[in-house]
Amino acid sequence: MAQEQTEVTWYKDGKKLSSSSKVRMEAVGYTRRLVVQQAGQADAGEYSCEAGGKQLSFRLHVAGQCFGGAEEPLQR
C-alpha cells in the first residue's frame, strides 16, 4: 500500500538524479512528480523511479523547440 512518506529515487539513463535548477522532484500526498524545466534534446532519454522496492520506467522524447517563457503565449 502506498504511503505519503514513501521515498522515491529518480534516475535518468541509469544515473541517480538530484534536484537542481533544471530538475525538481515534487511530493504532494501520495503523488510523486519529476519536473524538467525547459526540456531540450539533452533531457531526452530513459527515466525511472524506484519506491518501496518497485520500479517504473519511461522514455522522454523531446521534439521541436521552445520559444518564450511559460507565462508568454507563442506569437506567430
Side-chain angles (χ1 to χ4, degrees):
M1 182 169 167
Q3 296 183 13
E4 283 190 65
Q5 64 271 22
T6 299
E7 187 171 330
V8 173
T9 305
W10 293 93
Y11 299 88
K12 178 183 180 269
D13 298 325
K15 295 179 185 158
K16 186 176 178 180
L17 290 173
S18 56
S19 290
S20 67
S21 59
K22 179 83 174 170
V23 178
R24 183 175 75 241
M25 290 88 169
E26 296 180 350
V28 178
Y30 295 99
T31 302
R32 302 297 182 266
R33 188 176 301 146
L34 178 69
V35 180
V36 179
Q37 302 289 332
Q38 299 177 344
Q41 290 298 323
D43 300 305
E46 185 165 337
Y47 288 80
S48 60
C49 62
E50 289 183 355
K54 303 205 181 212
Q55 183 177 39
L56 172 74
S57 296
F58 58 96
R59 183 162 288 281
L60 175 67
H61 298 273
V62 180
Q65 262 184 319
C66 179
F67 297 96
E71 294 100 23
E72 299 174 23
L74 296 178
Q75 300 293 322
R76 291 190 184 238

